[in-house]
């Protein structure tokens, strides 16, 4: 017998998956908290535009929270940090249970797509000084021309001393830019080409100066000489010093509120600093976690997690090794492996939010929506889950119970349509230790663009999700 009208309504509310905007769950107090949380996040985005700056900011805040250098023999307590080459940091908080029971780990990345200067960047052409770049990560090249750019980085001088540069962030600073071709003359050079070929990588050269060095007018390359003079005057660096340097070109504009209702945050590098920031705040919020909490910030995710600061390096093993020593357990290889095997982890990374302009690249039933909370992504990968770390139904069940039991707004969606493209995260590189691992982070619009957009509701729900994961999973 088919159910009556009232019964049918009850059945739907009992059986069907509920879809509810996180905004509808908030009261006035929540909204105030979200507003102040978002402001602090915007400040973080503006002070941490590179991986090194993110480490600096995390370290500064961690010290204020009582975290101590794990390398210090005499340092005691239950909160420690370890840094790797100024590009990774691990924050660790010992739990009530012995560390041999495993760790609760949240991993994010703090590198973002950008333009790096080449080892020999500076040249002069048509009385303009320019810098050659090599782009880093998956950028759409047309997004990097005709916008104000800032220069961030470090230079190691010939005597080994190090200088950190930031030019273009202070309102009194000059900025830089990459000139774009005027539409009047772009018909053959650009407009008939595929968008990815319209601007060649070699044409992403940064406008750096224009005034020639005064004095001998017979000299060659006087514009280049003049900027070298200015660099030396201000920073005591020479052209050769630029070889032992890491200088990144990033958007010069600031992160800020988006929308008349101020419901969103726009800014550079939210992939993945939104997860870095929320996971940092989540470990700071721990009073006495059950298991040992570790929040790990990694580099080089955008180019495949390679090298000695990427997820494929053994840095995390070193961190856990030191934790074992701090816990006064025998530093044995077997114990290390057991701890890693018994751990549970979130790969904290952003997902693509459904963009109404490009809805057809998403499969709507499985696309994350802005404002519907943190997204749990069972698997990533492309071309048939290729290269994915596919979380188990059991682990997904645990995470779902955890979030439901603690009133965290969450959704469980994929990146886009099957065969449309795809992507990966650090999940698979840590899952090889045998720990439970799942991708979990907020959706963003315009991922990898100079101005990515996230919902403040999702920002806050992501923080809550990470907080309860560390405290209660
Ligand atoms: Mn990412
Ligand atoms: Mn990315």
């Amino acid at each position: 017998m088919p159910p009556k009208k009232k019964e049918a309504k009850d059945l739907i509310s009992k059986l069907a998956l509920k879809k509810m905007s996180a905004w509808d769950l908030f009261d006035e107090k929540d909204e105030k908290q979200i507003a102040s949380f978002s402001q602090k996040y915007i400040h973080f985005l503006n002070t941490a535009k590179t991986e090194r700056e993110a480490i600096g900011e995390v370290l500064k805040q961690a010290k204020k929270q009582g975290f101590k250098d794990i390398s210090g023999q005499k340092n005691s307590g239950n909160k420690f940090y370890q840094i790797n080459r100024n590009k990774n940091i691990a924050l660790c908080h010992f739990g009530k249970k012995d560390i041999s029971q495993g760790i609760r780990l949240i991993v994010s990345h703090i590198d973002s797509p950008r333009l790096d200067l080449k080892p020999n960047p500076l040249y002069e052409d048509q009385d303009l000084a320019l810098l050659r770049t090599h782009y880093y990560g998956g950028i759409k090249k047309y997004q990097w021309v005709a916008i104000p750019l800032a220069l961030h980085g470090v230079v190691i001088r010939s005597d080994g001393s190090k200088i950190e540069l930031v030019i273009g962030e202070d309102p009194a600073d000059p900025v830089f830019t990459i000139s774009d071709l005027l539409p009047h003359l772009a018909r053959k050079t650009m407009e008939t080409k595929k968008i990815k070929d319209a601007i060649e990588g070699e044409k992403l050269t940064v406008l750096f100066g224009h005034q020639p060095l005064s004095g001998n007018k017979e000299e060659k390359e006087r514009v280049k000489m003049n900027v070298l003079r200015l660099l030396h005057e201000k920073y005591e660096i020479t052209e050769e010093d630029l070889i032992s340097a890491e200088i990144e070109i990033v958007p010069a504009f600031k992160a800020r509120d988006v929308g008349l209702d101020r419901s969103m945050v726009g800014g550079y590098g939210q992939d993945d600093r939104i997860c870095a920031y929320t996971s940092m705040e989540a470990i700071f919020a721990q009073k006495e976690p059950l298991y040992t909490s570790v929040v790990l910030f990694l580099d080089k995710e955008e180019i495949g997690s390679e090298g000695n600061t990427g997820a494929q390096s053994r840095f995390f093993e070193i961190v856990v090794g030191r934790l074992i020593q701090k816990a006064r357990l025998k530093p044995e290889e077997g114990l290390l492996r057991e701890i890693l095997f018994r751990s549970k982890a979130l790969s904290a990374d952003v997902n693509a939010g459904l963009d109404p302009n490009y809805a057809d690249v998403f499969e709507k039933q499985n696309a994350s929506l802005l404002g519907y909370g943190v997204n749990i992504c069972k698997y990533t990968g492309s071309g048939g889950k290729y290269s994915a770390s596919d979380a188990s139904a059991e682990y997904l069940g645990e995470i779902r119970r955890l979030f439901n039991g603690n009133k965290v707004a969450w959704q469980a969606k994929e990146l886009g349509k099957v065969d449309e493209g795809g992507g990966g995260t650090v999940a698979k590189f840590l899952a090889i230790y045998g720990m439970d691992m799942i991708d979990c982070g907020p959706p963003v619009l315009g991922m990898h663009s100079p101005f990515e957009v996230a919902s403040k509701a999702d920002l806050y729900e992501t923080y809550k999700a990470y907080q309860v994961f560390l405290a209660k999973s």
Side-chain angles (χ1 to χ4, degrees):
M1 203 171 54
K4 289 187 194 119
K5 209 175 167 186
K6 162 88 170 56
E7 285 169 8
K9 209 179 155 192
D10 288 349
L11 262 185
I12 289 169
S13 84
K14 199 170 142 191
L15 300 182
L17 174 65
K18 279 174 232 29
K19 201 175 121 179
M20 200 167 158
S21 164
W23 291 105
D24 291 331
L25 306 171
F26 302 144
D27 58 22
E28 222 172 284
K29 204 180 126 209
D30 293 324
E31 284 184 15
K32 270 197 190 136
Q33 225 162 346
I34 290 165
S36 81
F37 191 83
S38 306
Q39 261 183 357
K40 285 185 277 174
Y41 169 55
I42 286 174
H43 176 78
F44 180 79
L45 286 178
N46 288 335
T47 44
K49 282 194 174 177
T50 67
E51 57 280 29
R52 286 174 188 266
E53 289 169 0
I55 296 305
E57 192 58 27
V58 171
L59 176 64
K60 194 173 105 189
Q61 299 205 28
K63 281 182 176 170
K64 270 192 212 159
Q65 296 283 334
F67 284 77
K68 294 188 183 126
D69 187 350
I70 201 165
S71 321
Q73 294 292 323
K74 286 183 191 141
N75 283 346
S76 61
N78 59 0
K79 295 195 271 189
F80 296 97
Y81 67 82
Q82 185 175 351
I83 293 178
N84 177 23
R85 295 173 168 81
N86 298 314
K87 292 177 189 175
N88 300 153
I89 188 168
L91 303 181
C92 316
H93 188 160
F94 277 111
K96 272 180 264 187
K97 292 197 185 213
D98 196 285
I99 190 173
S100 58
Q101 302 298 305
I103 283 167
R104 296 296 174 266
L105 170 69
I106 304 179
V107 200
S108 65
H109 67 90
I110 44 170
D111 60 318
S112 293
R114 58 175 190 254
L115 310 177
D116 286 343
L117 290 196
K118 288 191 182 187
N120 302 285
L122 183 60
Y123 71 107
E124 176 177 335
D125 196 358
Q126 313 303 329
D127 282 26
L128 298 169
L130 296 140
L131 297 171
R132 295 189 195 278
T133 66
H134 197 139
Y135 64 92
Y136 172 96
I139 64 162
K140 291 164 95 178
K141 288 169 220 137
Y142 71 85
Q143 294 176 335
W144 288 78
V145 298
I147 58 169
L149 297 167
L151 183 155
H152 292 233
V154 298
V155 180
I156 309 301
R157 300 189 189 97
S158 55
D159 64 357
S161 61
K162 176 157 90 177
I163 179 155
E164 289 174 27
L165 306 180
V166 179
I167 311 172
E169 295 294 341
D170 189 294
D173 281 353
V175 294
F176 311 97
T177 194
I178 297 168
S179 65
D180 196 2
L181 182 60
L182 64 169
H184 316 63
L185 295 177
R187 211 169 292 164
K188 286 187 203 148
T189 312
M190 283 182 173
E191 285 169 5
T192 55
K193 286 186 183 159
K194 283 187 178 164
I195 214 164
K196 77 180 222 322
D197 304 321
I199 296 172
E200 293 158 35
E202 290 295 351
K203 292 204 161 85
L204 294 175
T205 57
V206 177
L207 210 46
F208 199 54
H210 166 57
Q211 190 179 347
L213 186 70
S214 57
N216 188 354
K217 295 184 182 63
E218 305 310 309
E219 283 292 323
K220 280 185 191 151
E221 300 196 317
R222 287 195 295 139
V223 177
K224 176 181 164 178
M225 284 309 137
N226 197 39
V227 293
L228 278 176
R229 176 185 68 84
L230 288 168
L231 280 175
H232 192 259
E233 260 178 29
K234 185 131 195 225
Y235 307 106
E236 289 176 49
I237 53 180
T238 65
E239 192 173 9
E240 191 181 300
D241 292 337
L242 295 175
I243 291 174
S244 50
E246 285 174 344
I247 296 178
E248 304 178 13
I249 304 293
V250 298
F253 39 71
K254 303 268 187 250
R256 56 199 299 181
D257 286 350
V258 171
L260 191 61
D261 53 7
R262 298 179 176 269
S263 55
M264 295 166 277
V265 173
Y268 166 71
Q270 298 201 70
D271 172 11
D272 186 30
R273 288 179 205 126
I274 190 167
C275 296
Y277 181 76
T278 45
S279 62
M280 174 186 79
E281 290 291 352
I283 198 168
F284 290 166
Q286 302 306 311
K287 294 265 150 32
E288 205 188 1
L290 192 55
Y291 290 88
T292 296
S293 296
V294 178
V295 173
L296 182 60
F297 303 81
L298 293 174
D299 177 34
K300 298 288 184 282
E301 192 276 343
E302 296 294 358
I303 57 166
S305 297
E306 312 286 348
N308 60 5
T309 56
Q312 297 194 67
S313 83
R314 299 283 180 257
F315 173 58
F316 185 54
E317 291 179 28
I318 301 290
V319 172
V320 177
R322 296 223 174 133
L323 285 173
I324 291 171
Q325 286 181 325
K326 278 288 175 208
R328 299 184 194 288
L329 296 168
K330 267 198 189 147
E332 284 167 356
E333 185 79 22
L335 176 61
L336 174 75
R337 270 190 255 125
E338 278 297 326
I339 291 173
L340 293 170
F341 184 71
R342 287 177 192 162
S343 294
K344 293 182 193 295
L346 298 181
S347 161
D349 209 342
V350 296
N351 193 41
L354 199 155
D355 185 330
N357 282 328
Y358 303 100
D360 45 347
V361 301
F362 297 90
E363 184 269 284
K364 282 187 191 154
Q365 193 171 327
N366 286 285
S368 53
L369 288 178
L370 250 61
Y372 281 74
V374 69
N375 186 62
I376 308 170
C377 198
K378 188 175 182 297
Y379 47 82
T380 57
S382 60
K385 297 193 180 181
Y386 194 83
S387 239
S389 164
D390 196 348
S392 70
E394 288 85 350
Y395 190 42
L396 223 143
E398 271 180 49
I399 297 295
R400 182 184 142 211
R401 279 199 300 284
L402 177 75
F403 290 173
N404 282 341
N406 291 282
K407 295 196 167 62
V408 175
W410 60 277
Q411 45 190 332
K413 307 295 173 57
E414 296 191 18
L415 185 69
K417 267 185 183 166
V418 176
D419 288 341
E420 194 69 49
T425 64
V426 299
K428 62 176 178 178
F429 301 115
L430 287 138
I432 56 171
Y433 293 114
M435 63 180 73
D436 278 313
M437 168 64 84
I438 193 163
D439 280 292
C440 180
V444 298
L445 297 180
M447 196 198 292
H448 284 204
S449 78
F451 198 70
E452 302 170 312
V453 174
S455 159
K456 288 185 181 177
D458 301 334
L459 167 73
Y460 196 65
E461 292 304 310
T462 301
Y463 160 68
K464 271 166 59 187
Y466 295 165
Q467 207 273 102
V468 299
F469 174 79
L470 294 179
K472 297 181 179 176
S473 72

PDB file of all heavy atoms in Angstrom, residues 79-93:
ATOM      1  N   LYS A  79      53.792  20.566  23.684  1.00  0.00           N
ATOM      2  CA  LYS A  79      53.561  21.165  22.365  1.00  0.00           C
ATOM      3  C   LYS A  79      54.895  21.516  21.699  1.00  0.00           C
ATOM      4  O   LYS A  79      55.697  22.265  22.259  1.00  0.00           O
ATOM      5  CB  LYS A  79      52.703  22.426  22.510  1.00  0.00           C
ATOM      6  CG  LYS A  79      51.292  22.121  23.018  1.00  0.00           C
ATOM      7  CD  LYS A  79      50.344  23.295  22.812  1.00  0.00           C
ATOM      8  CE  LYS A  79      50.370  24.238  23.978  1.00  0.00           C
ATOM      9  NZ  LYS A  79      49.293  25.271  23.864  1.00  0.00           N
ATOM     10  N   PHE A  80      55.104  20.948  20.525  1.00  0.00           N
ATOM     11  CA  PHE A  80      56.386  21.135  19.842  1.00  0.00           C
ATOM     12  C   PHE A  80      56.188  21.471  18.365  1.00  0.00           C
ATOM     13  O   PHE A  80      55.162  21.150  17.783  1.00  0.00           O
ATOM     14  CB  PHE A  80      57.227  19.856  19.933  1.00  0.00           C
ATOM     15  CG  PHE A  80      57.610  19.511  21.341  1.00  0.00           C
ATOM     16  CD1 PHE A  80      56.861  18.592  22.068  1.00  0.00           C
ATOM     17  CD2 PHE A  80      58.694  20.131  21.953  1.00  0.00           C
ATOM     18  CE1 PHE A  80      57.198  18.280  23.381  1.00  0.00           C
ATOM     19  CE2 PHE A  80      59.033  19.830  23.263  1.00  0.00           C
ATOM     20  CZ  PHE A  80      58.289  18.907  23.979  1.00  0.00           C
ATOM     21  N   TYR A  81      57.220  22.113  17.807  1.00  0.00           N
ATOM     22  CA  TYR A  81      57.220  22.316  16.353  1.00  0.00           C
ATOM     23  C   TYR A  81      58.548  21.860  15.776  1.00  0.00           C
ATOM     24  O   TYR A  81      59.562  21.821  16.477  1.00  0.00           O
ATOM     25  CB  TYR A  81      56.963  23.799  16.001  1.00  0.00           C
ATOM     26  CG  TYR A  81      58.061  24.750  16.406  1.00  0.00           C
ATOM     27  CD1 TYR A  81      59.203  24.925  15.606  1.00  0.00           C
ATOM     28  CD2 TYR A  81      57.986  25.475  17.589  1.00  0.00           C
ATOM     29  CE1 TYR A  81      60.213  25.791  15.986  1.00  0.00           C
ATOM     30  CE2 TYR A  81      58.994  26.340  17.978  1.00  0.00           C
ATOM     31  CZ  TYR A  81      60.116  26.500  17.167  1.00  0.00           C
ATOM     32  OH  TYR A  81      61.119  27.342  17.541  1.00  0.00           O
ATOM     33  N   GLN A  82      58.511  21.504  14.503  1.00  0.00           N
ATOM     34  CA  GLN A  82      59.756  21.247  13.782  1.00  0.00           C
ATOM     35  C   GLN A  82      59.660  21.858  12.390  1.00  0.00           C
ATOM     36  O   GLN A  82      58.641  21.718  11.704  1.00  0.00           O
ATOM     37  CB  GLN A  82      60.039  19.746  13.662  1.00  0.00           C
ATOM     38  CG  GLN A  82      61.414  19.502  13.019  1.00  0.00           C
ATOM     39  CD  GLN A  82      61.832  18.051  12.970  1.00  0.00           C
ATOM     40  OE1 GLN A  82      61.192  17.176  13.567  1.00  0.00           O
ATOM     41  NE2 GLN A  82      62.916  17.789  12.254  1.00  0.00           N
ATOM     42  N   ILE A  83      60.747  22.518  11.994  1.00  0.00           N
ATOM     43  CA  ILE A  83      60.782  23.187  10.685  1.00  0.00           C
ATOM     44  C   ILE A  83      61.741  22.450   9.765  1.00  0.00           C
ATOM     45  O   ILE A  83      62.767  21.948  10.212  1.00  0.00           O
ATOM     46  CB  ILE A  83      61.227  24.658  10.855  1.00  0.00           C
ATOM     47  CG1 ILE A  83      60.155  25.427  11.630  1.00  0.00           C
ATOM     48  CG2 ILE A  83      61.473  25.329   9.512  1.00  0.00           C
ATOM     49  CD1 ILE A  83      60.490  26.867  11.897  1.00  0.00           C
ATOM     50  N   ASN A  84      61.413  22.388   8.499  1.00  0.00           N
ATOM     51  CA  ASN A  84      62.304  21.815   7.492  1.00  0.00           C
ATOM     52  C   ASN A  84      62.604  22.863   6.432  1.00  0.00           C
ATOM     53  O   ASN A  84      61.719  23.246   5.660  1.00  0.00           O
ATOM     54  CB  ASN A  84      61.623  20.587   6.848  1.00  0.00           C
ATOM     55  CG  ASN A  84      62.460  19.963   5.740  1.00  0.00           C
ATOM     56  OD1 ASN A  84      63.684  20.121   5.699  1.00  0.00           O
ATOM     57  ND2 ASN A  84      61.778  19.271   4.822  1.00  0.00           N
ATOM     58  N   ARG A  85      63.839  23.349   6.394  1.00  0.00           N
ATOM     59  CA  ARG A  85      64.320  24.244   5.342  1.00  0.00           C
ATOM     60  C   ARG A  85      63.433  25.475   5.085  1.00  0.00           C
ATOM     61  O   ARG A  85      63.301  25.934   3.961  1.00  0.00           O
ATOM     62  CB  ARG A  85      64.497  23.473   4.036  1.00  0.00           C
ATOM     63  CG  ARG A  85      65.581  22.425   4.132  1.00  0.00           C
ATOM     64  CD  ARG A  85      65.661  21.541   2.914  1.00  0.00           C
ATOM     65  NE  ARG A  85      66.887  20.765   2.953  1.00  0.00           N
ATOM     66  CZ  ARG A  85      67.042  19.650   3.662  1.00  0.00           C
ATOM     67  NH1 ARG A  85      66.053  19.194   4.418  1.00  0.00           N
ATOM     68  NH2 ARG A  85      68.180  19.002   3.630  1.00  0.00           N
ATOM     69  N   ASN A  86      62.821  25.946   6.133  1.00  0.00           N
ATOM     70  CA  ASN A  86      61.928  27.125   6.051  1.00  0.00           C
ATOM     71  C   ASN A  86      60.759  26.938   5.093  1.00  0.00           C
ATOM     72  O   ASN A  86      60.128  27.901   4.677  1.00  0.00           O
ATOM     73  CB  ASN A  86      62.711  28.379   5.658  1.00  0.00           C
ATOM     74  CG  ASN A  86      63.761  28.732   6.685  1.00  0.00           C
ATOM     75  OD1 ASN A  86      63.471  28.725   7.881  1.00  0.00           O
ATOM     76  ND2 ASN A  86      64.978  28.991   6.235  1.00  0.00           N
ATOM     77  N   LYS A  87      60.447  25.687   4.724  1.00  0.00           N
ATOM     78  CA  LYS A  87      59.350  25.449   3.790  1.00  0.00           C
ATOM     79  C   LYS A  87      58.344  24.414   4.282  1.00  0.00           C
ATOM     80  O   LYS A  87      57.327  24.200   3.620  1.00  0.00           O
ATOM     81  CB  LYS A  87      59.905  25.012   2.441  1.00  0.00           C
ATOM     82  CG  LYS A  87      60.671  26.117   1.726  1.00  0.00           C
ATOM     83  CD  LYS A  87      61.258  25.588   0.446  1.00  0.00           C
ATOM     84  CE  LYS A  87      62.201  26.617  -0.153  1.00  0.00           C
ATOM     85  NZ  LYS A  87      62.869  26.075  -1.329  1.00  0.00           N
ATOM     86  N   ASN A  88      58.684  23.733   5.369  1.00  0.00           N
ATOM     87  CA  ASN A  88      57.721  22.823   6.018  1.00  0.00           C
ATOM     88  C   ASN A  88      57.738  23.152   7.492  1.00  0.00           C
ATOM     89  O   ASN A  88      58.782  23.485   8.043  1.00  0.00           O
ATOM     90  CB  ASN A  88      58.136  21.340   5.953  1.00  0.00           C
ATOM     91  CG  ASN A  88      58.283  20.788   4.555  1.00  0.00           C
ATOM     92  OD1 ASN A  88      59.047  19.859   4.353  1.00  0.00           O
ATOM     93  ND2 ASN A  88      57.574  21.344   3.606  1.00  0.00           N
ATOM     94  N   ILE A  89      56.593  22.985   8.128  1.00  0.00           N
ATOM     95  CA  ILE A  89      56.574  23.015   9.586  1.00  0.00           C
ATOM     96  C   ILE A  89      55.569  21.973  10.047  1.00  0.00           C
ATOM     97  O   ILE A  89      54.539  21.758   9.381  1.00  0.00           O
ATOM     98  CB  ILE A  89      56.265  24.426  10.143  1.00  0.00           C
ATOM     99  CG1 ILE A  89      56.441  24.479  11.672  1.00  0.00           C
ATOM    100  CG2 ILE A  89      54.891  24.915   9.750  1.00  0.00           C
ATOM    101  CD1 ILE A  89      56.431  25.896  12.249  1.00  0.00           C
ATOM    102  N   ALA A  90      55.903  21.314  11.145  1.00  0.00           N
ATOM    103  CA  ALA A  90      54.966  20.392  11.787  1.00  0.00           C
ATOM    104  C   ALA A  90      54.687  20.939  13.174  1.00  0.00           C
ATOM    105  O   ALA A  90      55.622  21.305  13.890  1.00  0.00           O
ATOM    106  CB  ALA A  90      55.569  18.995  11.880  1.00  0.00           C
ATOM    107  N   LEU A  91      53.410  21.050  13.549  1.00  0.00           N
ATOM    108  CA  LEU A  91      53.020  21.421  14.904  1.00  0.00           C
ATOM    109  C   LEU A  91      52.474  20.161  15.571  1.00  0.00           C
ATOM    110  O   LEU A  91      51.633  19.468  14.988  1.00  0.00           O
ATOM    111  CB  LEU A  91      51.935  22.506  14.901  1.00  0.00           C
ATOM    112  CG  LEU A  91      52.250  23.815  14.173  1.00  0.00           C
ATOM    113  CD1 LEU A  91      51.062  24.774  14.305  1.00  0.00           C
ATOM    114  CD2 LEU A  91      53.508  24.464  14.718  1.00  0.00           C
ATOM    115  N   CYS A  92      52.973  19.863  16.767  1.00  0.00           N
ATOM    116  CA  CYS A  92      52.611  18.607  17.436  1.00  0.00           C
ATOM    117  C   CYS A  92      52.128  18.895  18.845  1.00  0.00           C
ATOM    118  O   CYS A  92      52.741  19.696  19.560  1.00  0.00           O
ATOM    119  CB  CYS A  92      53.835  17.693  17.532  1.00  0.00           C
ATOM    120  SG  CYS A  92      54.802  17.623  16.009  1.00  0.00           S
ATOM    121  N   HIS A  93      51.055  18.226  19.227  1.00  0.00           N
ATOM    122  CA  HIS A  93      50.499  18.390  20.572  1.00  0.00           C
ATOM    123  C   HIS A  93      50.228  16.985  21.129  1.00  0.00           C
ATOM    124  O   HIS A  93      49.348  16.280  20.622  1.00  0.00           O
ATOM    125  CB  HIS A  93      49.192  19.216  20.467  1.00  0.00           C
ATOM    126  CG  HIS A  93      48.619  19.610  21.789  1.00  0.00           C
ATOM    127  ND1 HIS A  93      47.733  20.644  21.921  1.00  0.00           N
ATOM    128  CD2 HIS A  93      48.802  19.123  23.030  1.00  0.00           C
ATOM    129  CE1 HIS A  93      47.386  20.775  23.196  1.00  0.00           C
ATOM    130  NE2 HIS A  93      48.024  19.853  23.883  1.00  0.00           N
TER     131      HIS A  93
END
